[in-house]
Amino acid sequence: MALRFGYSLKALGGNLGGQWERTRRDTLFLMGAVLLSAIPQFGFQPAWVSASFLLLFFWRLGLVMTGRKAPGMVVRLLAAVGCAAGVYAEYHSLIGRDPGISLLVLFLGLKLIEMQARRDLFVVIFLCFFLLLTTFFHSQSMLAAAMVVAAVFALVTAMLTIQFAENEVAIGRRMRMTAKMLLQAAPLALVLFLVFPRLSTPMWGAQGLAGAARTGLSETMSPGSIAELSQSDEVAFRVHFDTPPARPAMYWRGPVLDHFDGRAWSTSSVLPYPSVPASVEVSAGAPRYRYAVTLEPTGQRWLFALEAPIDIDPRWASRSSVDDAFTLMARDEIGQRIRYEMVSSTDYRLGADETPSSLRNWLQLPPGGSPRTLAMARQWRAEGLPPATLVERALRMFAEQPFRYTLRPPLLDREPVDGFLFDTRAGFCEHFSSAFVVLMRALDIPARVVTGYQGGERNSLDDYWIVRQSDAHAWAEVWLAGRGWLRVDPTAAVAPERIERGAPRNLGAIADRFDAGNESSFWHGVSLRIDAITHGWNQWVLSYDDKRQRGLFGAFGIDFADWRELAGLFAALSMLVIGGCALLTLHPRPSKDPVERAWSEFCDKLAACGVPRERHETAWQFHERSRRLLDAESAAQARRIVALYNELRYGGRGSLADVRHLRQSVARFQP
């Protein structure tokens, strides 16, 4: 068995000629390509599906190595029924994207078990191509694309291996042929990418993708919820500014929370406005910032914007709305990476025309909750101070008393606000914002919790900003007569470095101090370079949507609404590409065979002496005719050259040393 195993490995290089080893070589090549095709699916399939495929794969691999026969029809039928039953138990259906892909993975493994004829090899290859297409249902990242390209390369090489019939071709030559074929196909693929109409919705529909769970902000906030996000370096979104504001002014508004049950905050039902509310006022001389946001999939509906957005991308104007809490929301859940453009101003006045009825929702407090906080609020109200002074007094309390910002706060009792304000005085941003809003409402000042992200990290390699989950933040808004809703960040009163320098980032580790040293570290620089490449991929490949496609060809006067113009454009570009490839690959080229090059050089030297070679002559006939004009030494050299050439070309033997000897002999030959 060990000897057979060794022969099987040697057969990968194409050095054995027996039909038995020939079949093994084809199968082993195909097995490697199949594994490369299935690996991208392992991260998205249930564990038992991946394990079942690997079991079938190694079962077949063992059969190939030992030379044993495949299992019978009954075993294969029972395995197929078991796989289908498992998929049905997992998804409660055999129809749909996810159950369909799981079935495809399992049936590919089953097909490996029953492979016998050469036709079966091609069926497996076509199944692998289809499976690779489904990879992009789950991920369209550069890593996924690279894995698909590697698998395609392996599959095409396997196809070439099968096509060589009885001929044994070195693996290096097969791989070079595959690379040449794929390079010839690349221009046509580029034409298809640019010209083929882009869909305005995902290939499989947005609903199936949007339901996936994602890391990020939610519509509730309880002590520790945002602190959990601070442990994640996952990218929330990337932003490209025309001219960016200062980092402390980068408040990315997300869900606004109004209802408090004593421990957790949540958002109640609000009626969306058809557009940005008119109560947002921006003076004529206020700075305006134009930027583009590339938002990662969230499974939620919030579109994050720099406070305060005053103009939204026209493409999203009809697919989004702003609710009465000034939260920008998409019509559908965000199940894929999206890109939208915005204009914001950090100098604004929001909701100055609110009425007592519209403010009633922002004064809610649970009955009987936070008794010590309510008692302190009654003492403050008894002093008769105006609301603005009370807000400043609360901020001074946070700044002057021993409050501490930490990612590892002590546990709180059943009254978390009282416990935080009067006992522990240590917490994360949600503790400060929650306690501040409760205190304001107890003072009869309308207030609400705003969650989102604060700051970001500039990537100078491509001049954009990265906002990560670790930048998640919570702050407060209070309403003052004549001034509207004002942003108040109590965290800034306790830990101003959190706002000035951004969230502590230690590649996912929890930190209690702000350490900027990591930003200059080698690995941090590497991560920024990788992110810059990823950002370019997102912008130029994944963000090439119907709007960009129409804009690209609209500049050349091509109307994508007219299918005849589109078909003509595709035909013209395809003919141009195919013609260009034909000119580069089909014109005659000199032989690259070193033996033939040496022989041509030898014939040229004799032709210069007046003995040109005739087409019908063999090498020996040419030598016999030419030796009469050569001296004895030159004739002997010519004889040795002709003998060595015949041995290399027709003898079936010879090494690289013999080829070098022939070339050196021809170089020294002087008739």
Side-chain angles (χ1 to χ4, degrees):
M1 178 176 175
L3 184 61
R4 289 185 175 184
F5 181 76
Y7 281 162
S8 297
L9 293 182
K10 290 181 180 179
L12 287 174
N15 296 322
L16 299 179
Q19 181 60 37
W20 184 70
E21 287 297 336
R22 160 70 181 173
T23 303
R24 279 195 173 191
R25 189 195 71 182
D26 292 352
T27 306
L28 287 173
F29 257 108
L30 183 57
M31 295 281 287
V34 168
L35 185 60
L36 286 177
S37 302
I39 284 176
Q41 291 289 342
F42 288 171
F44 307 105
Q45 295 299 317
W48 72 268
V49 173
S50 301
S52 299
F53 172 83
L54 290 176
L55 176 63
L56 295 170
F57 178 86
F58 286 108
W59 186 2
R60 178 63 187 189
L61 185 62
L63 295 178
V64 174
M65 292 302 183
T66 60
R68 296 179 180 178
K69 293 184 178 180
M73 176 63 71
V74 175
V75 175
R76 299 200 301 267
L77 182 60
L78 290 176
V81 172
C83 290
V87 171
Y88 186 84
E90 177 74 26
Y91 299 103
H92 306 289
S93 175
L94 296 179
I95 301 175
R97 187 198 67 179
D98 292 337
I101 296 176
S102 295
L103 282 174
L104 182 60
V105 172
L106 293 172
F107 285 173
L108 177 60
L110 291 172
K111 187 62 181 178
L112 291 177
I113 296 298
E114 72 165 6
M115 280 194 312
Q116 293 181 358
R118 295 177 67 84
R119 177 180 61 86
D120 294 331
L121 304 181
F122 288 104
V123 172
V124 169
I125 289 176
F126 294 144
L127 285 176
C128 288
F129 279 124
F130 192 78
L131 183 62
L132 289 175
L133 175 63
T134 65
T135 301
F136 296 112
F137 290 160
H138 300 292
S139 174
Q140 299 178 9
S141 65
M142 282 194 307
L143 178 60
M147 295 175 70
V148 168
V149 169
V152 168
F153 187 92
L155 288 171
V156 175
T157 304
M159 291 178 67
L160 287 175
T161 301
I162 298 171
Q163 293 291 348
F164 275 118
E166 299 300 326
N167 297 326
E168 296 290 344
V169 179
I171 186 172
R173 183 183 174 190
R174 278 176 270 158
M175 295 179 70
R176 288 193 296 270
M177 292 177 65
T178 299
K180 183 178 179 180
M181 293 172 60
L182 294 181
L183 287 176
Q184 291 173 343
L188 189 58
L190 179 61
V191 170
L192 286 170
F193 175 79
L194 294 175
V195 178
F196 196 84
R198 317 298 291 183
L199 301 178
S200 57
T201 58
M203 185 184 303
W204 203 268
Q207 184 176 1
L209 293 175
R214 301 285 182 177
T215 301
L217 296 174
S218 68
E219 59 186 4
T220 62
M221 185 189 77
S222 57
S225 59
I226 294 183
E228 293 177 0
L229 291 181
S230 69
Q231 305 176 38
S232 173
D233 282 327
E234 183 180 356
V235 174
F237 52 91
R238 298 175 177 88
V239 187
H240 184 275
F241 284 98
D242 288 353
T243 302
R247 180 187 291 184
M250 291 184 183
Y251 280 83
W252 305 96
R253 191 181 187 91
V256 177
L257 312 178
D258 65 320
H259 183 77
F260 185 57
D261 63 4
R263 289 194 61 87
W265 288 87
S266 60
T267 178
S268 60
S269 301
V270 289
L271 297 176
Y273 286 92
S275 60
V276 176
S279 58
V280 179
E281 302 175 12
V282 179
S283 60
R288 286 169 167 79
Y289 301 97
R290 183 178 298 274
Y291 56 96
V293 177
T294 303
L295 180 63
E296 296 296 316
T298 62
Q300 306 289 349
R301 295 173 54 198
W302 301 296
L303 298 175
F304 296 95
L306 184 70
E307 286 187 337
I310 57 178
D311 190 16
I312 188 171
D313 190 333
R315 293 181 304 164
W316 283 92
S318 60
R319 293 189 286 168
S320 63
S321 60
V322 178
D323 63 21
D324 59 358
F326 206 64
T327 302
L328 184 62
M329 304 183 69
R331 182 180 59 191
D332 302 311
E333 293 182 0
I334 301 170
Q336 62 174 346
R337 185 181 293 104
I338 62 173
R339 185 178 187 272
Y340 53 93
E341 297 177 359
M342 300 284 292
V343 177
S344 294
S345 176
T346 56
D347 184 7
Y348 61 93
R349 189 167 71 161
L350 173 63
D353 56 353
E354 295 273 15
T355 63
S357 60
S358 65
L359 293 172
R360 187 179 302 113
N361 192 53
W362 311 111
L363 291 170
Q364 175 269 334
L365 284 175
S370 308
R372 287 187 286 177
T373 302
L374 295 180
M376 183 175 65
R378 285 193 296 269
Q379 294 176 3
W380 289 14
R381 284 202 312 268
E383 299 178 11
L385 299 175
T389 304
L390 293 174
V391 172
E392 294 176 0
R393 182 173 181 176
L395 291 177
R396 285 200 309 271
M397 178 187 69
F398 284 116
E400 296 173 357
Q401 296 188 19
F403 284 91
R404 183 168 58 92
Y405 181 92
T406 176
L407 301 185
R408 293 180 291 193
L411 296 177
L412 298 172
D413 56 15
R414 292 191 301 176
E415 294 293 344
V417 174
D418 284 353
F420 171 71
L421 286 178
F422 299 100
D423 299 329
T424 65
R425 296 186 174 182
F428 201 53
C429 61
E430 65 260 41
H431 298 87
F432 290 96
S433 59
S434 176
F436 181 84
V437 171
V438 170
L439 179 58
M440 290 297 103
R441 292 186 176 186
L443 292 169
D444 291 329
I445 300 175
R448 58 196 183 191
V449 175
V450 183
T451 61
Y453 300 88
Q454 198 284 320
E457 181 181 15
R458 181 174 178 267
N459 191 329
S460 58
L461 297 174
D462 202 12
D463 194 22
Y464 66 95
W465 288 77
I466 308 170
V467 180
R468 307 179 188 273
Q469 298 296 348
S470 56
D471 295 309
H473 192 51
W475 60 95
E477 280 186 338
V478 297
W479 189 87
L480 299 178
R483 301 174 64 183
W485 289 102
L486 301 178
R487 180 174 65 232
V488 180
D489 193 347
T491 304
V494 179
E497 62 271 26
R498 163 62 181 88
I499 308 303
E500 293 291 336
R501 296 166 55 184
R505 184 168 296 118
N506 191 18
L507 297 180
I510 300 179
D512 275 334
R513 62 189 180 91
F514 293 85
D515 182 7
N518 289 316
E519 296 187 0
S520 59
S521 68
F522 171 77
W523 291 114
H524 188 72
V526 171
S527 68
L528 289 181
R529 293 180 185 276
I530 295 175
D531 193 87
I533 297 173
T534 302
H535 180 65
W537 171 265
N538 295 339
Q539 295 300 310
W540 297 105
V541 178
L542 302 186
S543 293
Y544 183 69
D545 52 13
D546 54 338
K547 179 185 177 182
R548 285 194 169 187
Q549 187 181 52
R550 292 176 183 274
L552 174 63
F553 291 100
F556 298 96
I558 299 174
D559 183 10
F560 259 61
D562 189 344
W563 67 268
R564 290 170 296 186
E565 289 191 23
L566 181 61
L569 174 65
F570 174 72
L573 290 178
S574 299
M575 292 177 61
L576 182 63
V577 168
I578 294 174
C581 291
L583 289 176
L584 293 175
T585 58
L586 299 182
H587 66 274
R589 296 183 178 182
S591 173
K592 295 182 179 180
D593 188 346
V595 175
E596 286 299 327
R597 287 203 303 267
W599 176 250
S600 298
E601 183 181 350
F602 172 73
C603 294
D604 291 341
K605 288 186 176 182
L606 289 178
C609 297
V611 192
R613 183 188 175 189
E614 301 295 339
R615 286 192 172 188
H616 63 276
E617 286 183 313
T618 64
W620 281 116
Q621 289 173 340
F622 179 48
H623 170 260
E624 289 296 326
R625 186 165 59 86
S626 62
R627 69 183 181 85
R628 303 169 186 171
L629 301 179
L630 302 176
D631 55 42
E633 182 179 356
S634 298
Q637 290 180 348
R639 182 179 181 83
R640 288 193 294 270
I641 290 174
V642 172
L644 184 56
Y645 169 74
N646 281 335
E647 183 66 25
L648 290 172
R649 179 54 62 212
Y650 306 110
R653 295 186 297 275
S655 62
L656 292 177
D658 295 328
V659 175
R660 287 196 298 269
H661 181 57
L662 174 64
R663 297 176 63 182
Q664 293 171 358
S665 300
V666 172
R668 292 193 300 266
F669 178 68
Q670 297 296 334

